[in-house]
Amino acid sequence: MEEKKQFICGVVEGFYGRPWTMDQRKVLFQWMQSWGLNTYLYGPKDDLKHRLLWREVYSHEEEGQLRTLIREAQSRGQRFVYALSPGQDIVFSSSCDLTLLKRKLRQVSDLGCQAFAILFDDIDHSMCQADSEAFSSFAHAQVTVTNDIYRFLGEPPVFLFCPTEYCGSLCSPSVSKSPYLQTIGEDLLPNITVIWTGSKVISRKLSVDCLAEVESVLQRPPLIWDNLHANDYDSRRLFLGPFKGRDPQLRSHLRGLLLNPNCEFEANYIPLHSLGSWYRAGKEERKDEECEYCPDRALSDALHDWMEELNQPLQAGRQSTRADQRSSASATRCKTPDRSDCPSTLRGTSAIAKLPVFPLNSSSPPSSPVKGETEGGEGERKRSNQPSQPNHQIQGSRPGAPPGGGRGPKAQGWGLCGGKGLLSESQVRLLVGLYYLPHEHGPSAQKLLQDLNWLKANCHLVSANGKKTPPQKIDEWRGRSSRVLSLCEDIAQLHCSVVGGANRAVLYDLYPYVWDLRNTALVAKAFICWLDGRVLTDSSTMDTWKNCFHWCGKTTGADLLGLESEPWAFKGGVSGEVQMLLPIGSSNELFTHPPPLFPTSRLYNVRPYHGKDKLELYRMVRQLHLRTQGGQESSVAHPDVIGDRCLGPCLAMCPEYCFILEDELGVCGCVLGIFDVRSFTKRCQASWIPAMRDKYPPKGGNTLPNTQDLIKLMEEDQGEYPDTLLYHFPSQLRLDALPELVDVSVSRTLLTALLAALKANGSQGVFCEVQPTDRHRLEFLTKLGFLEILRGEARSREGVVLGRML
């Protein structure tokens, strides 16, 4: 009887995403033992993802693995709960189906398991003809099978049942009047515990009143399946914040609480550590302040302990841990750490395809993050000898144009990401604040979104064509801008530190998320820099960016959607909200892509073009041209002729639509935009071409043929495009990036910054011209939403024209 009275508090292994390894589960049991958690619920992935497989018993090999897992949990004092989800394909009235279900559960019982769960969540309420004739209701069918299984297993002390109506929002018509729940409460055997998630699938808070209502209907205290930290519904979000929004005094109204965690194992240290603090605080009889649960204090304690883990040289899979060394010290604590608003979890949302995994160990190829990269950057200094990355070589709009690239001196203000890869506590707090909880961002994320909102709403203060603005207003705008830029740089440094860190296990799990946020921050940073003096806030063009925002002044997606919304109603977390504050925020194809196979800790920056960049850009394209010519310097007489042809017109006549990509070694790419191709062509014919003829005059009999050929190509480059093309796609772009860039995502980020600027000033479409044989460039642009709109045979030029609407 004592076992039945013990409060169940523990963790559910994620039902979606990558299954955890045996080593990770062993670490989990050590954590749970250290923090006083007593229950682990295991739901085999195939039982939920491939429903028919529940009919099969485990093979001899699978049986051995499950036996090992059960014994490992029990050796740590953990209650192992085996969960099965038969509801999708079972015929409740079939004795054959019931026998097969019992057979599998008996096999698990023979392996030493003494606690079980039957889950009927997220299934169709309708019954087949045979079941409709045998049972009075869907609830009656579930209860009959569950009671039978419970008796068959000898009425184990812990037996959990998840109803199809497992939260208030799924009950029809309400919790207190639901016929389904009433049947469960009246007919389910009294010692079977019912699972509940709260008022929502992911509940912001759990209140005594709500729990009292469901306890009355179910005629027993429920067990909370808490989805507060579950992230399987959004591939761009993690939840690293503390356990929050659940008063420890709720214990008297509960049979227990199981936390459904992040799919990524390493992301669950703070959630589980703080859950242990919550559980221990609820067991304390003293009411002094020291033993009351405080999420901020719990976060601080968890962060302190996590710092040791983060800077250990652990490989993905967790072959070693120091959790045992801290178990005695941690178990005596009654605290928890940071500020966050508790979202809930998810008990039955659809599985989301996770980002690709990648090998992150000492044997990774040279382009992966190895020590050479983080200790001086020499690993990438030699990159010109590596094979090129074709997806990065997006060259531009004119046939025969060289691919852009060439290295200058290291960019000022950019230091190498050096050191030994140790994450600082301030960086970890930033990480937690950016990936906090489903219904609440941490302080740094809140400030970022507030400042971005304000800068966007007040960009007229620094507009290119605005009226005279008081200097103090301009100073305020630029002060806020400076804060945003500084935070974006901190995010880039955080990405660098995670990639270069000693703990590869953490990198393996967290990298896709920090990489995604880093790229979004790069675009936001470039766009905020561009707004200062370049946006035309009084533009009369239809569909300007000022009208693209439907939530100006809102701080978060949760604020926009309301307190009653589930967190998956707005995707993306901080990355998604920053994205939506950009003019092209609804274009998900520009922001959501798999991370590179081999992460790099190199720092990148995207920014508007400045006049001082011209020399280095010219040097870059000249060097790349020489590569294609076999390094023959004599093939080009004048040092500027290549730059004048490829970059000169845009840099001279529309520099406000040029963006620079730089890394720690200097400029490594650029994107050039033409806002209005019609007027640009006329200006080129009127001023640029005559200037070039003057700059490169024929020299009698000593005329340099290569130079004159290139001047002729400059004239051909300004050929006319059809009016039907320019009507829908008035803008043009050219993207040049070094072929040996390590992180192929930065070309996409660079392009996205230009598209945001064009959209901000009212462009409705943009095109790019690519050679038809350039398969990699065509593939790159197609993935970013560009479609083929014109072929070379339709006009005198040979290139394929790809365009996309903005």
Side-chain angles (χ1 to χ4, degrees):
M1 293 300 295
E2 184 61 31
E3 175 71 18
K4 293 183 181 180
K5 293 180 181 178
Q6 183 183 12
F7 188 86
I8 296 171
C9 191
V11 62
V12 177
E13 177 167 343
F15 279 72
Y16 302 93
R18 289 195 310 271
W20 295 345
T21 66
M22 185 63 72
D23 281 335
Q24 287 173 327
R25 290 167 181 148
K26 290 178 180 179
V27 173
L28 173 67
F29 298 148
Q30 292 168 358
W31 285 351
M32 293 174 66
Q33 182 182 35
S34 298
W35 304 329
L37 305 176
N38 58 34
T39 302
Y40 164 74
L41 187 144
Y42 171 74
K45 184 179 179 182
D46 58 3
D47 285 342
L48 197 59
K49 189 174 182 182
H50 307 290
R51 301 277 187 167
L52 289 173
L53 295 183
W54 72 269
R55 299 174 182 273
E56 315 244 346
V57 296
Y58 287 114
S59 67
H60 180 71
E61 181 182 357
E62 292 170 329
E63 197 177 68
Q65 293 173 349
L66 188 55
R67 180 186 290 108
T68 299
L69 183 61
I70 292 171
R71 289 178 177 175
E72 181 69 26
Q74 292 174 346
S75 70
R76 293 280 179 177
Q78 308 301 316
R79 180 189 294 106
F80 183 94
V81 181
Y82 176 85
L84 199 59
S85 302
Q88 189 74 6
D89 45 36
I90 188 174
V91 176
F92 292 95
S93 57
S94 168
S95 59
C96 179
D97 279 10
L98 190 58
T99 298
L100 289 170
L101 180 56
K102 290 177 179 178
R103 181 185 175 192
K104 186 161 190 174
L105 292 173
R106 171 59 72 188
Q107 183 188 24
V108 177
S109 176
D110 291 343
L111 296 177
C113 182
Q114 301 172 354
F116 300 88
I118 299 294
L119 312 178
F120 291 108
D121 57 295
D122 306 320
I123 60 175
D124 189 353
H125 283 70
S126 61
M127 293 189 291
C128 65
Q129 183 65 31
D131 287 345
S132 297
E133 294 173 358
F135 302 105
S136 59
S137 67
F138 192 46
H140 183 214
Q142 292 180 0
V143 166
T144 301
V145 168
T146 302
N147 286 343
D148 191 0
I149 294 295
Y150 177 64
R151 295 190 185 101
F152 169 76
L153 292 172
E155 300 188 2
V158 173
F159 194 90
L160 312 180
F161 168 84
C162 182
T164 306
E165 294 182 3
Y166 55 81
C167 67
S169 62
L170 294 179
C171 293
S172 179
S174 66
V175 173
S176 60
K177 297 180 180 179
S178 166
Y180 174 90
L181 288 187
Q182 289 172 357
T183 301
I184 300 298
E186 292 169 1
D187 296 345
L188 195 68
L189 291 174
N191 287 330
I192 297 177
T193 299
V194 179
I195 290 171
W196 188 251
T197 67
S199 59
K200 299 287 181 182
V201 177
I202 304 178
S203 300
R204 181 188 288 260
K205 293 185 178 181
L206 296 176
S207 69
V208 172
D209 291 342
C210 290
L211 291 177
E213 181 183 29
V214 71
E215 181 180 357
S216 174
V217 176
L218 296 176
Q219 301 182 26
R220 72 201 76 198
L223 178 140
I224 294 296
W225 178 301
D226 202 332
N227 289 301
L228 182 62
H229 291 86
N231 70 330
D232 49 19
Y233 54 89
D234 192 341
S235 61
R236 300 177 73 185
R237 300 186 77 177
L238 280 176
F239 301 115
L240 305 178
F243 192 69
K244 188 176 181 182
R246 289 92 172 106
D247 191 311
Q249 303 311 314
L250 291 174
R251 283 168 51 99
S252 59
H253 298 270
L254 296 175
R255 175 70 176 89
L257 186 146
L258 295 175
L259 185 64
N260 188 15
N262 295 279
C263 295
E264 294 75 16
F265 177 80
E266 298 295 338
N268 294 308
Y269 191 95
I270 291 176
L272 297 181
H273 190 293
S274 57
L275 174 64
S277 297
W278 176 87
Y279 179 46
R280 294 192 300 274
K283 286 166 43 175
E284 290 288 340
E285 305 220 352
R286 300 179 336 180
K287 300 301 180 187
D288 59 0
E289 185 177 344
E290 274 298 312
C291 285
E292 288 183 1
Y293 179 75
C294 170
D296 290 340
R297 194 163 59 236
L299 176 57
S300 296
D301 290 341
L303 274 173
H304 178 271
D305 290 345
W306 199 29
M307 290 301 299
E308 297 181 42
E309 297 276 340
L310 289 175
N311 292 317
Q312 287 186 63
L314 298 176
Q315 296 295 320
R318 278 309 207 108
Q319 290 87 353
S320 62
T321 184
R322 296 176 60 188
D324 279 333
Q325 300 174 18
R326 293 194 307 271
S327 59
S328 59
S330 299
T332 60
R333 293 196 178 175
C334 183
K335 314 174 188 175
T336 314
D338 196 30
R339 328 163 37 252
S340 84
D341 205 312
C342 208
S344 39
T345 214
L346 91 6
R347 184 75 245 43
T349 56
S350 59
I352 299 295
K354 306 307 286 184
L355 295 174
V357 298
F358 36 82
L360 296 173
N361 53 45
S362 56
S363 62
S364 297
S367 55
S368 67
V370 293
K371 269 189 179 179
E373 287 185 15
T374 58
E375 294 179 3
E378 290 302 321
E380 289 186 23
R381 279 182 199 279
K382 302 174 183 177
R383 66 186 178 189
S384 59
N385 296 322
Q386 299 174 3
S388 64
Q389 308 265 358
N391 283 358
H392 244 328
Q393 304 171 39
I394 306 304
Q395 299 163 25
S397 47
R398 301 178 181 89
R407 310 298 287 166
K410 187 163 101 176
Q412 290 184 355
W414 284 81
L416 292 176
C417 192
K420 296 187 177 180
L422 296 181
L423 281 161
S424 67
E425 184 171 341
S426 63
Q427 285 182 315
V428 179
R429 282 191 175 274
L430 173 62
L431 177 67
V432 173
L434 294 168
Y435 295 100
Y436 202 57
L437 290 172
H439 300 98
E440 178 186 5
H441 295 308
S444 54
Q446 291 179 24
K447 191 62 178 173
L448 173 64
L449 293 172
Q450 288 168 357
D451 282 340
L452 281 174
N453 264 298
W454 188 92
L455 291 169
K456 177 257 302 183
N458 292 277
C459 65
H460 61 277
L461 298 175
V462 291
S463 64
N465 60 340
K467 298 178 181 178
K468 188 170 179 64
T469 304
Q472 61 269 27
K473 290 290 185 181
I474 296 177
D475 290 343
E476 182 182 5
W477 195 95
R478 289 177 176 160
R480 286 185 180 245
S481 171
S482 178
R483 287 199 298 270
V484 169
L485 301 185
S486 177
L487 183 52
C488 289
E489 290 174 3
D490 289 343
I491 292 172
Q493 288 284 353
L494 172 64
H495 169 270
C496 169
S497 296
V498 170
V499 174
N503 192 321
R504 315 313 280 168
V506 170
L507 170 60
Y508 183 79
D509 280 352
L510 301 191
Y511 175 71
Y513 298 93
V514 295
W515 172 86
D516 173 59
L517 184 57
R518 186 281 306 262
N519 287 348
T520 305
L522 282 178
V523 178
K525 180 173 179 282
F527 183 69
I528 292 301
C529 288
W530 179 87
L531 278 180
D532 193 352
R534 296 176 181 89
V535 67
L536 304 174
T537 56
D538 296 327
S539 172
S540 60
T541 309
M542 293 180 60
D543 194 28
T544 61
W545 78 293
K546 299 186 297 300
N547 300 320
C548 296
F549 302 96
H550 57 284
W551 61 343
C552 180
K554 296 294 185 182
T555 301
T556 66
D559 291 335
L560 172 68
L561 297 169
L563 293 176
E564 297 305 313
S565 63
E566 295 280 11
W568 60 78
F570 183 86
K571 301 266 185 184
V574 174
S575 290
E577 292 185 39
V578 170
Q579 172 187 328
M580 288 305 297
L581 288 172
L582 298 170
I584 50 171
S586 60
S587 302
N588 286 327
E589 68 276 7
L590 297 174
F591 293 90
T592 54
H593 281 266
L597 184 61
F598 300 113
T600 172
S601 59
R602 182 160 295 281
L603 285 169
Y604 290 97
N605 186 34
V606 177
R607 60 171 175 79
Y609 165 80
H610 301 298
K612 63 183 179 181
D613 299 317
K614 180 179 177 180
L615 181 63
E616 190 164 354
L617 289 177
Y618 270 39
R619 183 189 300 116
M620 179 179 73
V621 295
R622 177 180 172 80
Q623 289 175 352
L624 286 182
H625 177 78
L626 291 177
R627 290 188 196 179
T628 64
Q629 300 299 316
Q632 299 177 10
E633 186 72 26
S634 60
S635 64
V636 178
H638 197 289
D640 288 350
V641 72
I642 302 300
D644 280 339
R645 189 227 167 171
C646 299
L647 310 177
C650 291
L651 297 183
M653 290 184 288
C654 50
E656 65 273 21
Y657 296 107
C658 300
F659 286 85
I660 299 296
L661 172 66
E662 59 186 354
D663 63 10
E664 297 149 340
L665 302 179
V667 173
C668 55
C670 65
V671 63
L672 312 179
I674 302 170
F675 182 78
D676 185 346
V677 174
R678 275 198 188 94
S679 63
F680 178 83
T681 301
K682 292 177 181 177
R683 292 167 61 197
C684 275
Q685 296 293 347
S687 61
W688 179 256
I689 298 301
M692 291 298 98
R693 292 195 186 108
D694 292 340
K695 185 173 181 178
Y696 306 109
K699 297 183 179 179
N702 296 323
T703 300
L704 299 170
N706 290 324
T707 300
Q708 293 305 304
D709 288 345
L710 285 170
I711 293 175
K712 185 177 179 181
L713 286 174
M714 289 184 197
E715 297 175 354
E716 294 176 357
D717 287 342
Q718 308 310 319
E720 294 185 358
Y721 290 95
D723 288 340
T724 52
L725 168 68
L726 299 181
Y727 178 80
H728 295 287
F729 305 94
S731 302
Q732 186 180 10
L733 68 84
R734 170 199 171 93
L735 176 62
D736 285 317
L738 284 178
E740 60 265 29
L741 283 175
V742 175
D743 187 345
V744 298
S745 68
V746 291
S747 285
R748 171 171 57 86
T749 303
L750 179 64
L751 177 63
T752 302
L754 172 63
L755 297 184
L758 292 172
K759 174 74 170 178
N761 276 339
S763 177
Q764 63 180 7
V766 63
F767 70 91
C768 181
E769 193 168 351
V770 183
Q771 290 301 301
T773 56
D774 198 342
R775 180 175 57 86
H776 294 300
R777 295 176 180 84
L778 292 170
E779 181 183 359
F780 176 88
L781 290 168
T782 300
K783 288 180 178 179
L784 298 184
F786 284 80
L787 300 175
E788 182 180 325
I789 54 178
L790 197 61
R791 275 262 170 187
E793 55 265 24
R795 64 201 203 292
S796 60
R797 305 163 75 97
E798 296 180 358
V800 176
V801 175
L802 302 177
R804 64 161 287 153
M805 303 301 293
L806 296 178

